[in-house]
Amino acid sequence: MRFIKYIPFLFFLIAAAILVWFTVKAYTTNSRITESNYWQNHSYEVIRNLQASLLIISNLETGVHEFIITDNADFLQHNLAQTGDLYETLGSIKYLVQDNPAQQQRLSSLRNKLDTQLTIHRQLIQLKKQAPLSPASLDIYHSKLGMDSIRILTNQMLQAEDQLLTGRKEQHALDTAAPFTKPLTGIILAMLAVFASFLWLYKRSSKNENTFRGMVDDVQVIIFTTDLAGFFTFTNKKMSELTGFSRNELLGQHCTILLEDATAEHLRKVYSEQQYFNKPTTTEIFQTKTKSGEKIWVEQIATLRFHNNTLIGFQCIVKDIDKEIKLKETNQHLEQKSKDVALQLQSIIDNTPAFIFIKNKEGRYILVNKSFEEIYGISNEEIIGKTDESFCPEGKAWDHQLEDTQVITQGTFVTTEETIEKDGAFYHYLITKFPLLNDDLHVTGLCGIGTDITEQKKQEKVLKDAKQTAEDAQKAQEIFLANMSHEIRTPMNGIIGLSNQLIKTPMLQTQAHYVNNILAAANNLLAIINDILDFSKLRSESVALEHIPFNMKQLVEKMALSFQVKVKEKGLKFYLDIDDSIPSTLIGDPVRLNQILINLIGNAVKFTTAGTIYVAITLVIQHDDNVRVSFVVKDTGIGIPENKQAMIFDSFTQTRSDNARKYGGTGLGLAITKQLITLLKGFITVESKPGDGSTFYVEIPFDKTLLTPDTNESTEQEIFPEDVLKGKKILVVEDNPINQEVALATLQSAAAEVDIAINGIEAVKKVMNGTYHCIIMDIQMPEMDGYQTTVVLRNMGINTPIIAMTASVIKGEREKCLEAGMNDYTSKPFIPEHLYCQILKSMGEEVPVTNIAMLPSSFADTNLVDLSYLHQMMKYNADIKYTLDEFLLLTPDTLDKLLVASNQKDWENVFMLIHRLNSSLSFVPVPPAKDLIDELEIDAHDKTNTDTIPERVHQVVQILNEAIVFVRERRNDYEDN
């Protein structure tokens, strides 16, 4: 009974014991479940960090790769931040696996490989920024940039952690299973608690898995899983974005839905081998199909998936590399095309006859063609990378370096000629060097092209020799003509002079007839000789033009009067029409104009047997400082055939061979006329028909004088107010006493205050110590000539007007004076009024309006010495007598020195002495010596025709000695007044 009594208590104790046991058991079980749950979460955290690392590594690789391919720095925008995130993630993993030595070892290896690979990334980025990478460099880049070993390590850590996770899930399942089956309340409660705990843990586990799957959806790479048969079991959002299929459309479908048959078969073999040989990871590049049918290149990394150590499928990470592959294909195409073009270009370069080379900025050869190798006798291997110093003589190498430096630094073309010796022969090359530019227009080197001009040089030498021979022959002809003309003209002057004297003496009628015939024949012969001499001077370009004022109407009317007798003898009508609008005073060369008109009108008279000669002079156009005047000479003579009109201006030419016999002449008249017109910057044309006569049209420009002529044609002209230069202080720089006297008298007659300086040095001193309104400067002077003096004065800052005054006949003197800094130029002999105008104009003062005196268009031939200019220039006989005395004093000494210099062939001294004579003869003219002296001055200056200079000097000395006798006789005619 007692036992029964305790039975309930016993059951209670048993129940209590069971309950205590179950409670203890439940507690320990719950602890194990909590720990199991912690390690599951621990594994998920490790896996999440590892997958995040894979994602960051992939993004880093993609960014660097895209930057290398495209050169777009935007792909590196997040590079630094991602690198920081990667190391932070690795730090978290290191903390999580600190109790797992195997994972720690794998993590350490992973960290080392990442450090190395990120260093390579930075180096490649730096290289890419410094210079573009070639296709070969890109291939090297691909080999260095790959991260397969890093992915393998990461996937090994994932597999290890996945296996741990699987074991922990199994342990968790055992801990959460029901340990009792009896329907005890405590057990039920315990089971309910365990079940509640299990349910809580399961929900948390599901939540973690959902969180992981959400994270996979958010990554920027494509991730999917398949079973072993290849059916999709999971795809992320990026997978749908790439393929165009939704997740629901892909799940449960076979992966071949996205593949071509050939690609599918290839991947089946690859993944079968991976499965068979248990390869952790494989990487394949292939084209996948989208829903729209588009094909896209992808890179797929496939990793084996295990569950409970059992292979259940594949986990794949896919990267879209379509742009990269297509860009690579494009680059390969361009590279191949570039290679083809380079081969074609090299073929062209190698087969061109010119030698071609390219150098870099340091002067080293980087390309030469076959012609270069053959010409210089050097192989491509011997020259590439070398400079000119390696195979050129030192001097030539230095020349090449200077040329290269000019091309590189200035970016200009340089062309030189070079002579190269080869096999004992010399070859000439024209080498052109030019800069090579990059896309930024910066010079990167230079290219040179050498063209063989040996044959051209030979032809040039042949032509040069032929030209020299022709010039020598022409020069010999001109010298011969000049010498013969001078030789003949000297006795002819004697014949004409003696005949003129003889005809004045009493003689029989027959004798007078003979003398007149001698005079006519001599004058005709002298005219021919003068034509030949003029032609010779024109051919040798030794004609010096005048630039002086003259009266057009007076010149033409005087010239026309000379034909009056001949026209009357032939019964011709002669009409002269001068345009009244032509300014009466023009500036030009009246002597040459007179010669042109005499030739044209003379031909008209000569070739017209009956009818009319009409001469019209018309103003064509008028400007402020110049005019153009036309001259028309029309006749009713024999005319000129059309096919002969072009040749009438050639020398020694007449339209018919019998014209010379019938009409006389040398055939030089029109040739001389055209050349004179050309010298005067005009032109001539002709219209003619045989039997109807000819019309010659000439147009010539003239400058207008500074003065405005008065319309009053009174014979007594007021030249200038006597005090026109009153208050003006003028310095005359002149070494010739005759010229000093003329200038002094001329300027003082206009009330100017005048100082004289005998050379440039004295002139500079006077200017430094005084003030002058104007300087009259001779050109040729001892110690310091006019050019040097002007330069010195201008450099001293002295701006006083300077007017050059010279008798020189050397071409270009006027331009040379203006270039030296002079303000104006006048020739000797000068017209006083014209000189006054130049002085006033140079000072910027108003020029008076009045008439102007004219120089005679040619010197009088009645006497050996023409004293008309002195009469016009000087008011007082005493001044004239003083000037003649200076002439008598200076001329003999100058002639003696001239003979000595000529015999010693001292041409520079001959030029100085001749110039001094010419300067004196400007004011005391000796017409028979003028042409000789002008020619001598030019030839001595240019050192031409020197073999005949001594002989011509003797002729000048002879003529001037006669002039000295004449002047000595005439000086006594001028008494002081």
Side-chain angles (χ1 to χ4, degrees), residues 573-638:
K573 294 180 180 179
F574 187 92
Y575 296 99
L576 177 62
D577 183 10
I578 302 177
D579 189 348
D580 291 335
S581 62
I582 297 175
S584 60
T585 304
L586 297 174
I587 298 178
D589 191 329
V591 175
R592 301 304 174 189
L593 176 61
N594 188 68
Q595 187 176 354
I596 291 167
L597 294 176
I598 287 176
N599 281 344
L600 293 176
I601 298 174
N603 279 347
V605 174
K606 180 193 298 185
F607 295 108
T608 302
T609 56
T612 304
I613 305 250
Y614 174 74
V615 179
I617 302 175
T618 308
L619 180 66
V620 178
I621 190 169
Q622 180 170 202
H623 299 291
D624 291 340
D625 54 357
N626 62 74
V627 298
R628 291 190 73 88
V629 179
S630 67
F631 304 85
V632 177
V633 179
K634 185 175 183 180
D635 64 59
T636 56
I638 62 175

Side-chain angles (χ1 to χ4, degrees), residues 881-899:
K881 185 177 179 181
Y882 176 81
T883 303
L884 294 178
D885 285 341
E886 290 292 335
F887 176 83
L888 294 173
L889 177 65
L890 298 173
T891 305
D893 180 61
T894 303
L895 293 178
D896 291 341
K897 292 179 180 178
L898 180 61
L899 283 171

